[in-house]
Amino acid sequence: MVMPMPGAVGHDAEGSEPLLPRKHRDGGDEGAASSHDHFDGASFSGAVFNLSTTIVGAGIMALPATMKVLGLVPGLTLVVLAALLTDASIELLVRFSRAVGATSYGEAMGDAFGALGRGLLQVCVVVNNVGVMVVYMIIIGDVLSGKSSSGGVHHHGVIEGWFGPNRWNSRFSILIIVTLGVFTPLACFKRVDSLKYTSAVSVALAIVFVVITAGIAIVKLMRGQILMPKLFPDVHEWNSIWRLFTAAPVLVTAYICHYNVHPIHNELKDHSQISPIVRASLLLCLVVYITTSFFGFLLFGEATLDDVLANFDSDLGIPYSLVLDDAVRVSYVLHLMLVFPIVFHALRLNMDGLLFPSARPLSCDNRRFGGLTAALLTVIFLAANFIPNIWDAFQFTGATAAVAIAYIFPAAMALRDRHGIATKGDKYLAVFMIVLAVVANAVAVYSDAFLGSF
Protein backbone atom coordinates (compact mmCIF):
# COMPACT_ATOMS: atom_id res chain seq x y z
CA MET A 1 0.00 0.00 0.00
CA VAL A 2 1.39 3.40 -0.98
CA MET A 3 1.37 5.80 1.96
CA PRO A 4 0.65 9.50 1.47
CA MET A 5 3.59 11.88 1.58
CA PRO A 6 3.65 15.04 3.64
CA GLY A 7 2.64 18.35 2.16
CA ALA A 8 5.88 20.21 2.88
CA VAL A 9 7.64 21.68 -0.08
CA GLY A 10 11.31 22.46 -0.68
CA HIS A 11 13.39 23.04 -3.78
CA ASP A 12 14.87 19.95 -5.41
CA ALA A 13 15.48 18.79 -8.93
CA GLU A 14 12.96 15.98 -8.87
CA GLY A 15 10.14 18.31 -8.04
CA SER A 16 10.54 18.95 -4.33
CA GLU A 17 8.68 22.12 -5.15
CA PRO A 18 6.01 22.08 -7.82
CA LEU A 19 7.03 24.10 -10.85
CA LEU A 20 4.47 26.66 -9.76
CA PRO A 21 4.19 27.13 -6.01
CA ARG A 22 1.22 25.48 -4.38
CA LYS A 23 -0.76 26.51 -1.39
CA HIS A 24 -0.08 25.96 2.27
CA ARG A 25 -2.83 24.08 4.01
CA ASP A 26 -3.70 27.27 5.87
CA GLY A 27 -4.44 28.95 2.55
CA GLY A 28 -1.28 31.02 2.06
CA ASP A 29 0.77 30.86 -1.11
CA GLU A 30 4.31 29.53 -1.27
CA GLY A 31 7.03 31.04 -3.42
CA ALA A 32 6.88 33.93 -5.78
CA ALA A 33 3.99 33.09 -8.05
CA SER A 34 1.81 36.00 -8.96
CA SER A 35 -1.44 36.43 -7.13
CA HIS A 36 -3.54 35.97 -10.27
CA ASP A 37 -2.11 32.49 -10.83
CA HIS A 38 -4.70 30.56 -8.86
CA PHE A 39 -4.31 26.78 -8.60
CA ASP A 40 -6.46 24.68 -6.27
CA GLY A 41 -4.60 21.44 -6.81
CA ALA A 42 -4.65 18.54 -9.25
CA SER A 43 -7.63 16.20 -9.47
CA PHE A 44 -7.64 12.43 -9.01
CA SER A 45 -8.47 11.73 -12.67
CA GLY A 46 -5.84 14.15 -13.97
CA ALA A 47 -3.16 12.55 -11.81
CA VAL A 48 -4.17 9.05 -12.97
CA PHE A 49 -3.95 10.07 -16.62
CA ASN A 50 -0.56 11.74 -16.13
CA LEU A 51 0.92 8.77 -14.28
CA SER A 52 -0.58 6.27 -16.74
CA THR A 53 0.86 8.23 -19.66
CA THR A 54 4.26 8.15 -17.97
CA ILE A 55 4.01 4.35 -17.89
CA VAL A 56 2.61 3.54 -21.33
CA GLY A 57 5.22 4.56 -23.89
CA ALA A 58 7.06 2.74 -26.64
CA GLY A 59 7.59 -0.39 -24.54
CA ILE A 60 4.03 -1.55 -25.10
CA MET A 61 4.98 -2.58 -28.65
CA ALA A 62 7.52 -5.13 -27.37
CA LEU A 63 5.01 -7.01 -25.21
CA PRO A 64 3.52 -9.29 -27.92
CA ALA A 65 7.06 -10.46 -28.76
CA THR A 66 7.55 -11.47 -25.11
CA MET A 67 4.46 -13.67 -25.45
CA LYS A 68 6.11 -15.33 -28.46
CA VAL A 69 9.13 -16.12 -26.29
CA LEU A 70 7.38 -17.08 -23.05
CA GLY A 71 4.00 -18.35 -24.22
CA LEU A 72 0.71 -16.76 -23.23
CA VAL A 73 0.30 -18.32 -19.79
CA PRO A 74 3.72 -17.50 -18.30
CA GLY A 75 3.90 -14.24 -20.26
CA LEU A 76 0.60 -12.80 -19.04
CA THR A 77 1.34 -14.02 -15.52
CA LEU A 78 4.63 -12.13 -15.51
CA VAL A 79 2.94 -8.98 -16.84
CA VAL A 80 0.70 -9.07 -13.75
CA LEU A 81 3.61 -9.82 -11.39
CA ALA A 82 5.62 -6.94 -12.87
CA ALA A 83 2.75 -4.57 -12.00
CA LEU A 84 2.69 -5.89 -8.42
CA LEU A 85 6.45 -5.50 -8.09
CA THR A 86 6.26 -1.94 -9.40
CA ASP A 87 3.57 -1.14 -6.85
CA ALA A 88 5.83 -2.53 -4.12
CA SER A 89 8.82 -0.47 -5.27
CA ILE A 90 6.75 2.73 -5.40
CA GLU A 91 5.42 1.94 -1.93
CA LEU A 92 8.98 1.75 -0.62
CA LEU A 93 9.90 4.98 -2.37
CA VAL A 94 6.91 6.90 -1.04
CA ARG A 95 7.11 5.48 2.49
CA PHE A 96 10.77 6.39 2.88
CA SER A 97 10.07 9.83 1.38
CA ARG A 98 7.35 10.31 3.97
CA ALA A 99 9.65 9.28 6.81
CA VAL A 100 12.20 11.98 6.01
CA GLY A 101 9.78 14.65 4.84
CA ALA A 102 11.16 14.42 1.32
CA THR A 103 8.89 15.69 -1.42
CA SER A 104 11.08 14.41 -4.25
CA TYR A 105 12.85 11.25 -5.29
CA GLY A 106 16.16 13.13 -5.32
CA GLU A 107 15.60 14.49 -1.82
CA ALA A 108 14.90 10.99 -0.50
CA MET A 109 18.05 9.67 -2.16
CA GLY A 110 19.97 12.62 -0.77
CA ASP A 111 18.82 11.80 2.77
CA ALA A 112 19.92 8.17 2.39
CA PHE A 113 23.17 8.64 0.46
CA GLY A 114 24.00 12.33 0.50
CA ALA A 115 24.71 14.58 -2.46
CA LEU A 116 26.23 11.66 -4.37
CA GLY A 117 23.00 9.68 -4.13
CA ARG A 118 20.87 12.62 -5.20
CA GLY A 119 23.18 13.39 -8.10
CA LEU A 120 23.27 9.77 -9.25
CA LEU A 121 19.48 9.62 -9.29
CA GLN A 122 19.29 12.82 -11.31
CA VAL A 123 21.85 11.55 -13.83
CA CYS A 124 19.91 8.30 -14.26
CA VAL A 125 16.63 10.17 -14.85
CA VAL A 126 18.33 12.47 -17.38
CA VAL A 127 19.94 9.55 -19.25
CA ASN A 128 16.77 7.46 -19.19
CA ASN A 129 14.43 10.25 -20.26
CA VAL A 130 16.68 11.69 -22.96
CA GLY A 131 17.05 8.18 -24.37
CA VAL A 132 13.30 7.55 -24.23
CA MET A 133 12.46 10.80 -26.00
CA VAL A 134 15.10 10.34 -28.68
CA VAL A 135 13.62 6.91 -29.38
CA TYR A 136 10.12 8.43 -29.53
CA MET A 137 11.32 10.98 -32.06
CA ILE A 138 13.01 8.27 -34.14
CA ILE A 139 9.83 6.19 -34.16
CA ILE A 140 7.70 9.20 -35.13
CA GLY A 141 10.06 9.96 -38.01
CA ASP A 142 10.13 6.34 -39.18
CA VAL A 143 6.36 5.90 -39.09
CA LEU A 144 5.41 9.20 -40.71
CA SER A 145 8.22 9.71 -43.24
CA GLY A 146 9.54 6.16 -43.73
CA LYS A 147 13.00 4.69 -43.40
CA SER A 148 15.51 2.73 -45.43
CA SER A 149 17.02 -0.46 -44.04
CA SER A 150 20.71 -1.34 -44.27
CA GLY A 151 19.89 -3.61 -47.20
CA GLY A 152 18.61 -0.67 -49.23
CA VAL A 153 14.92 -1.54 -48.81
CA HIS A 154 12.76 1.53 -48.19
CA HIS A 155 9.74 1.26 -45.90
CA HIS A 156 7.25 3.96 -46.79
CA GLY A 157 5.94 6.21 -44.05
CA VAL A 158 2.26 6.99 -43.60
CA ILE A 159 2.44 10.58 -44.87
CA GLU A 160 4.87 9.57 -47.60
CA GLY A 161 2.38 6.92 -48.70
CA TRP A 162 -0.49 9.40 -48.77
CA PHE A 163 1.20 12.25 -50.62
CA GLY A 164 4.29 10.72 -52.18
CA PRO A 165 7.88 11.65 -51.31
CA ASN A 166 8.67 15.36 -51.35
CA ARG A 167 10.63 17.92 -49.39
CA TRP A 168 7.99 18.85 -46.81
CA ASN A 169 7.34 15.26 -45.69
CA SER A 170 10.98 14.21 -45.46
CA ARG A 171 12.12 12.89 -42.10
CA PHE A 172 13.86 16.14 -41.13
CA SER A 173 10.88 18.30 -42.13
CA ILE A 174 8.38 16.10 -40.31
CA LEU A 175 10.40 16.20 -37.10
CA ILE A 176 10.88 19.96 -37.33
CA ILE A 177 7.10 20.39 -37.69
CA VAL A 178 6.36 18.02 -34.78
CA THR A 179 9.01 19.60 -32.55
CA LEU A 180 7.89 23.18 -33.16
CA GLY A 181 4.17 22.50 -33.49
CA VAL A 182 3.60 19.87 -30.78
CA PHE A 183 6.55 19.34 -28.44
CA THR A 184 7.51 22.97 -27.88
CA PRO A 185 4.05 24.29 -26.88
CA LEU A 186 3.42 21.33 -24.57
CA ALA A 187 6.90 21.61 -23.04
CA CYS A 188 6.17 25.19 -21.99
CA PHE A 189 3.65 24.21 -19.32
CA LYS A 190 5.11 24.68 -15.86
CA ARG A 191 2.73 22.37 -14.01
CA VAL A 192 2.48 18.67 -14.71
CA ASP A 193 -1.28 18.96 -14.06
CA SER A 194 -1.54 21.20 -17.13
CA LEU A 195 -0.87 18.08 -19.21
CA LYS A 196 -3.83 16.11 -17.86
CA TYR A 197 -5.95 16.60 -20.98
CA THR A 198 -3.21 15.62 -23.41
CA SER A 199 -2.43 12.66 -21.15
CA ALA A 200 -6.08 11.60 -21.25
CA VAL A 201 -6.00 11.73 -25.06
CA SER A 202 -2.73 9.77 -25.02
CA VAL A 203 -4.29 6.99 -22.94
CA ALA A 204 -7.34 7.01 -25.24
CA LEU A 205 -5.09 6.61 -28.30
CA ALA A 206 -3.36 3.63 -26.67
CA ILE A 207 -6.80 2.12 -26.14
CA VAL A 208 -7.67 2.81 -29.79
CA PHE A 209 -4.62 0.76 -30.79
CA VAL A 210 -5.75 -2.07 -28.51
CA VAL A 211 -9.33 -1.99 -29.83
CA ILE A 212 -8.24 -2.07 -33.48
CA THR A 213 -5.78 -4.91 -32.83
CA ALA A 214 -8.38 -6.89 -30.89
CA GLY A 215 -11.00 -6.29 -33.58
CA ILE A 216 -8.72 -7.52 -36.37
CA ALA A 217 -7.75 -10.59 -34.33
CA ILE A 218 -11.37 -11.47 -33.57
CA VAL A 219 -12.41 -11.10 -37.23
CA LYS A 220 -9.56 -13.34 -38.39
CA LEU A 221 -10.30 -15.82 -35.61
CA MET A 222 -13.94 -16.09 -36.70
CA ARG A 223 -12.76 -16.67 -40.28
CA GLY A 224 -10.43 -19.44 -39.17
CA GLN A 225 -7.33 -17.52 -40.25
CA ILE A 226 -5.61 -17.71 -36.85
CA LEU A 227 -3.87 -20.75 -35.40
CA MET A 228 -3.93 -21.73 -31.75
CA PRO A 229 -1.40 -19.47 -29.99
CA LYS A 230 1.50 -20.94 -28.05
CA LEU A 231 0.52 -21.22 -24.38
CA PHE A 232 3.91 -22.26 -22.96
CA PRO A 233 7.49 -21.77 -24.14
CA ASP A 234 9.19 -24.26 -26.40
CA VAL A 235 12.28 -25.26 -24.41
CA HIS A 236 14.50 -27.93 -25.96
CA GLU A 237 18.05 -26.57 -26.01
CA TRP A 238 20.29 -24.00 -24.32
CA ASN A 239 19.55 -21.25 -26.84
CA SER A 240 15.81 -21.63 -26.27
CA ILE A 241 16.37 -21.43 -22.50
CA TRP A 242 18.43 -18.26 -22.91
CA ARG A 243 15.70 -16.70 -25.05
CA LEU A 244 13.36 -16.92 -22.06
CA PHE A 245 15.62 -14.56 -20.13
CA THR A 246 15.68 -12.01 -22.96
CA ALA A 247 12.05 -11.20 -22.13
CA ALA A 248 13.00 -10.10 -18.61
CA PRO A 249 14.19 -6.55 -19.46
CA VAL A 250 10.93 -5.73 -21.24
CA LEU A 251 8.81 -6.89 -18.31
CA VAL A 252 11.02 -5.40 -15.59
CA THR A 253 10.92 -1.92 -17.14
CA ALA A 254 7.31 -2.03 -18.38
CA TYR A 255 5.79 0.08 -15.59
CA ILE A 256 8.51 2.65 -14.82
CA CYS A 257 6.96 5.92 -13.65
CA HIS A 258 8.84 6.55 -10.40
CA TYR A 259 10.43 9.84 -11.48
CA ASN A 260 6.97 11.44 -11.88
CA VAL A 261 5.36 10.17 -8.67
CA HIS A 262 6.59 13.06 -6.51
CA PRO A 263 5.86 15.89 -8.97
CA ILE A 264 2.32 14.55 -9.44
CA HIS A 265 1.88 14.15 -5.68
CA ASN A 266 3.07 17.70 -4.99
CA GLU A 267 0.26 19.17 -7.08
CA LEU A 268 -2.58 17.03 -5.72
CA LYS A 269 -5.58 18.70 -4.18
CA ASP A 270 -5.78 15.86 -1.66
CA HIS A 271 -2.35 14.36 -0.90
CA SER A 272 -3.85 11.28 0.71
CA GLN A 273 -4.97 10.15 -2.77
CA ILE A 274 -1.49 9.20 -3.94
CA SER A 275 -2.04 5.55 -3.00
CA PRO A 276 -5.24 4.99 -5.02
CA ILE A 277 -3.80 7.09 -7.87
CA VAL A 278 -0.77 4.84 -8.19
CA ARG A 279 -2.90 1.72 -8.05
CA ALA A 280 -5.52 3.01 -10.46
CA SER A 281 -2.77 3.94 -12.93
CA LEU A 282 -1.08 0.54 -12.62
CA LEU A 283 -4.43 -1.23 -13.04
CA LEU A 284 -5.30 0.80 -16.13
CA CYS A 285 -1.90 0.09 -17.67
CA LEU A 286 -2.13 -3.57 -16.70
CA VAL A 287 -5.39 -3.91 -18.65
CA VAL A 288 -3.83 -2.18 -21.68
CA TYR A 289 -0.73 -4.37 -21.45
CA ILE A 290 -2.62 -7.65 -21.10
CA THR A 291 -4.95 -6.93 -24.01
CA THR A 292 -2.07 -5.72 -26.21
CA SER A 293 0.02 -8.78 -25.34
CA PHE A 294 -2.81 -11.24 -25.90
CA PHE A 295 -4.36 -9.87 -29.07
CA GLY A 296 -1.05 -8.81 -30.61
CA PHE A 297 0.37 -12.31 -30.26
CA LEU A 298 -2.95 -13.93 -31.20
CA LEU A 299 -3.05 -11.88 -34.40
CA PHE A 300 0.50 -12.46 -35.62
CA GLY A 301 1.57 -15.65 -33.79
CA GLU A 302 5.10 -16.77 -34.55
CA ALA A 303 5.38 -13.96 -37.12
CA THR A 304 5.23 -11.38 -34.31
CA LEU A 305 8.15 -8.98 -34.65
CA ASP A 306 10.15 -7.43 -31.79
CA ASP A 307 8.23 -4.21 -32.38
CA VAL A 308 4.69 -5.30 -33.23
CA LEU A 309 4.08 -1.97 -34.95
CA ALA A 310 6.28 -3.29 -37.77
CA ASN A 311 3.71 -6.05 -38.35
CA PHE A 312 1.22 -3.37 -39.39
CA ASP A 313 3.28 -2.55 -42.46
CA SER A 314 1.79 -5.27 -44.67
CA ASP A 315 -1.48 -6.86 -45.79
CA LEU A 316 -3.43 -8.11 -42.77
CA GLY A 317 -5.56 -10.48 -44.85
CA ILE A 318 -8.87 -8.71 -44.23
CA PRO A 319 -10.83 -5.98 -46.04
CA TYR A 320 -9.58 -2.39 -45.56
CA SER A 321 -6.23 -3.75 -44.44
CA LEU A 322 -4.26 -0.69 -45.55
CA VAL A 323 -6.69 1.67 -43.82
CA LEU A 324 -6.41 -0.29 -40.57
CA ASP A 325 -2.61 -0.39 -40.88
CA ASP A 326 -2.52 3.38 -41.16
CA ALA A 327 -5.04 3.83 -38.32
CA VAL A 328 -2.88 1.75 -35.98
CA ARG A 329 0.34 3.51 -36.88
CA VAL A 330 -1.11 7.03 -36.78
CA SER A 331 -2.87 6.46 -33.44
CA TYR A 332 0.35 5.12 -31.96
CA VAL A 333 2.46 8.03 -33.24
CA LEU A 334 -0.05 10.54 -31.86
CA HIS A 335 0.09 8.66 -28.56
CA LEU A 336 3.89 9.03 -28.44
CA MET A 337 3.66 12.73 -29.25
CA LEU A 338 1.50 13.20 -26.16
CA VAL A 339 3.69 10.99 -23.95
CA PHE A 340 6.71 13.13 -24.82
CA PRO A 341 5.83 16.21 -22.69
CA ILE A 342 5.12 14.25 -19.50
CA VAL A 343 8.54 12.58 -19.75
CA PHE A 344 10.15 15.90 -20.69
CA HIS A 345 8.73 17.51 -17.54
CA ALA A 346 10.76 15.19 -15.29
CA LEU A 347 13.85 15.54 -17.51
CA ARG A 348 13.83 19.33 -17.18
CA LEU A 349 13.45 19.22 -13.38
CA ASN A 350 16.35 16.82 -12.94
CA MET A 351 18.63 18.59 -15.41
CA ASP A 352 17.93 21.85 -13.60
CA GLY A 353 18.93 20.19 -10.32
CA LEU A 354 22.20 18.96 -11.82
CA LEU A 355 23.14 22.29 -13.37
CA PHE A 356 21.73 24.70 -10.80
CA PRO A 357 21.49 22.85 -7.48
CA SER A 358 21.40 26.03 -5.38
CA ALA A 359 19.28 28.21 -7.63
CA ARG A 360 15.80 29.44 -6.81
CA PRO A 361 12.85 27.30 -8.02
CA LEU A 362 12.60 26.92 -11.77
CA SER A 363 9.09 28.40 -11.77
CA CYS A 364 10.46 31.70 -10.49
CA ASP A 365 13.04 32.13 -13.25
CA ASN A 366 11.44 32.33 -16.69
CA ARG A 367 14.76 32.89 -18.42
CA ARG A 368 16.26 29.72 -16.96
CA PHE A 369 13.06 27.79 -17.64
CA GLY A 370 12.92 28.89 -21.28
CA GLY A 371 16.62 28.40 -21.90
CA LEU A 372 16.67 24.93 -20.41
CA THR A 373 13.55 23.91 -22.32
CA ALA A 374 14.97 25.13 -25.64
CA ALA A 375 18.37 23.53 -25.02
CA LEU A 376 16.93 20.11 -24.14
CA LEU A 377 14.53 20.06 -27.10
CA THR A 378 17.41 21.01 -29.41
CA VAL A 379 19.68 18.26 -28.06
CA ILE A 380 16.94 15.62 -28.42
CA PHE A 381 16.10 16.77 -31.96
CA LEU A 382 19.73 16.77 -33.09
CA ALA A 383 20.45 13.41 -31.49
CA ALA A 384 17.47 11.78 -33.20
CA ASN A 385 18.43 13.19 -36.59
CA PHE A 386 22.20 13.31 -36.82
CA ILE A 387 23.86 10.78 -34.50
CA PRO A 388 24.17 7.36 -36.18
CA ASN A 389 23.22 4.32 -34.12
CA ILE A 390 22.20 6.43 -31.13
CA TRP A 391 19.35 3.96 -30.49
CA ASP A 392 21.93 1.21 -29.94
CA ALA A 393 23.77 3.35 -27.42
CA PHE A 394 20.62 4.05 -25.44
CA GLN A 395 19.83 0.34 -25.29
CA PHE A 396 22.83 0.02 -22.98
CA THR A 397 22.59 3.21 -20.95
CA GLY A 398 18.79 3.21 -20.85
CA ALA A 399 18.55 -0.34 -19.55
CA THR A 400 20.92 0.47 -16.69
CA ALA A 401 19.31 3.79 -15.78
CA ALA A 402 15.76 2.43 -15.94
CA VAL A 403 16.27 -0.50 -13.57
CA ALA A 404 18.19 1.77 -11.18
CA ILE A 405 15.31 4.25 -11.03
CA ALA A 406 12.60 1.63 -10.68
CA TYR A 407 14.18 -0.92 -8.36
CA ILE A 408 17.79 -0.43 -7.27
CA PHE A 409 17.42 3.02 -5.70
CA PRO A 410 14.17 2.34 -3.76
CA ALA A 411 15.63 -0.98 -2.57
CA ALA A 412 18.91 0.68 -1.58
CA MET A 413 17.01 3.20 0.54
CA ALA A 414 15.24 0.36 2.33
CA LEU A 415 18.50 -1.47 3.00
CA ARG A 416 20.21 1.74 4.15
CA ASP A 417 17.25 2.41 6.47
CA ARG A 418 18.70 5.49 8.16
CA HIS A 419 15.57 6.03 10.24
CA GLY A 420 14.88 2.43 11.26
CA ILE A 421 11.49 2.03 9.57
CA ALA A 422 12.22 -0.93 7.27
CA THR A 423 10.72 -4.28 8.22
CA LYS A 424 12.40 -7.61 7.65
CA GLY A 425 10.01 -8.14 4.73
CA ASP A 426 11.07 -4.80 3.24
CA LYS A 427 14.70 -5.88 3.30
CA TYR A 428 13.98 -9.27 1.72
CA LEU A 429 11.97 -7.48 -0.96
CA ALA A 430 14.79 -4.97 -1.47
CA VAL A 431 17.38 -7.72 -1.98
CA PHE A 432 15.05 -9.47 -4.45
CA MET A 433 14.51 -6.26 -6.42
CA ILE A 434 18.22 -5.53 -6.64
CA VAL A 435 19.05 -9.07 -7.80
CA LEU A 436 16.23 -8.99 -10.35
CA ALA A 437 17.31 -5.59 -11.63
CA VAL A 438 20.95 -6.59 -11.98
CA VAL A 439 20.07 -9.84 -13.77
CA ALA A 440 17.60 -8.10 -16.10
CA ASN A 441 20.13 -5.40 -16.93
CA ALA A 442 22.91 -7.94 -17.56
CA VAL A 443 20.63 -9.94 -19.85
CA ALA A 444 19.59 -6.79 -21.73
CA VAL A 445 23.16 -5.63 -22.27
CA TYR A 446 24.42 -9.09 -23.25
CA SER A 447 21.57 -9.82 -25.64
CA ASP A 448 21.83 -6.37 -27.28
CA ALA A 449 25.61 -6.71 -27.66
CA PHE A 450 25.91 -10.31 -28.80
CA LEU A 451 22.56 -11.83 -29.66
CA GLY A 452 20.40 -9.06 -31.07
CA SER A 453 16.69 -8.99 -30.27
CA PHE A 454 14.15 -11.70 -29.51
Side-chain angles (χ1 to χ4, degrees), residues 106-348:
E107 192 178 340
M109 279 292 290
D111 177 81
F113 300 102
L116 179 61
R118 182 174 60 251
L120 185 59
L121 179 278
Q122 291 166 349
V123 167
C124 284
V125 173
V126 168
V127 169
N128 179 76
N129 290 23
V130 167
V132 164
M133 287 183 288
V134 168
V135 170
Y136 288 175
M137 199 171 283
I138 291 172
I139 293 173
I140 291 168
D142 289 347
V143 171
L144 295 182
S145 65
K147 67 175 181 177
S148 297
S149 64
S150 56
V153 178
H154 182 71
H155 299 273
H156 291 284
V158 174
I159 295 179
E160 185 184 33
W162 291 347
F163 301 103
N166 55 63
R167 182 175 299 177
W168 75 266
N169 62 23
S170 67
R171 179 190 185 86
F172 184 85
S173 299
I174 287 291
L175 291 182
I176 279 282
I177 293 170
V178 171
T179 299
L180 296 179
V182 180
F183 295 156
T184 300
L186 293 178
C188 289
F189 287 116
K190 291 187 175 182
R191 289 194 185 99
V192 68
D193 184 65
S194 301
L195 298 170
K196 62 186 177 183
Y197 297 114
T198 56
S199 292
V201 174
S202 176
V203 172
L205 288 167
I207 294 174
V208 166
F209 166 76
V210 171
V211 169
I212 294 175
T213 304
I216 296 171
I218 291 171
V219 168
K220 295 190 71 172
L221 188 64
M222 293 174 63
R223 292 183 170 192
Q225 295 175 281
I226 290 180
L227 300 176
M228 177 68 180
K230 180 170 64 179
L231 298 181
F232 295 93
D234 181 17
V235 179
H236 55 275
E237 58 182 5
W238 168 247
N239 285 341
S240 61
I241 294 174
W242 171 256
R243 278 169 55 83
L244 300 180
F245 289 96
T246 62
V250 175
L251 296 169
V252 167
T253 59
Y255 296 93
I256 288 180
C257 59
H258 302 60
Y259 52 79
N260 262 339
V261 170
H262 289 84
I264 288 172
H265 164 270
N266 290 340
E267 296 182 8
L268 282 176
K269 184 182 300 184
D270 178 3
H271 295 99
S272 66
Q273 290 185 325
I274 190 64
S275 171
I277 284 169
V278 169
R279 290 195 171 156
S281 301
L282 288 173
L283 181 60
L284 175 60
C285 295
L286 175 62
V287 172
V288 171
Y289 282 178
I290 286 178
T291 49
T292 300
S293 302
F294 178 79
F295 287 109
F297 181 50
L298 180 67
L299 178 58
F300 298 111
E302 293 302 311
T304 304
L305 299 175
D306 298 342
D307 180 354
V308 75
L309 191 68
N311 286 103
F312 290 95
D313 193 18
S314 58
D315 187 357
L316 299 172
I318 61 172
Y320 308 106
S321 174
L322 294 180
V323 174
L324 292 170
D325 279 341
D326 286 351
V328 165
R329 293 194 289 168
V330 169
S331 66
Y332 179 62
V333 162
L334 293 176
H335 161 73
L336 288 186
M337 289 182 188
L338 299 180
V339 173
F340 189 99
I342 200 78
V343 179
F344 186 86
H345 185 276
L347 167 65
R348 180 172 50 207

Side-chain angles (χ1 to χ4, degrees), residues 29-103:
D29 286 328
E30 293 182 45
S34 59
S35 59
H36 68 270
D37 187 10
H38 183 71
F39 179 56
D40 287 330
S43 64
F44 181 93
S45 59
V48 168
F49 286 132
N50 281 331
L51 197 58
S52 300
T53 299
T54 305
I55 296 171
V56 181
I60 186 176
M61 292 300 168
L63 289 172
T66 66
M67 301 302 110
K68 182 176 74 171
V69 173
L70 299 172
L72 278 177
V73 174
L76 295 178
T77 300
L78 289 175
V79 169
V80 174
L81 293 178
L84 295 175
L85 187 62
T86 301
D87 181 60
S89 69
I90 293 176
E91 191 275 334
L92 285 178
L93 172 61
V94 177
R95 178 147 50 91
F96 280 84
S97 297
R98 183 190 187 202
V100 302
T103 54

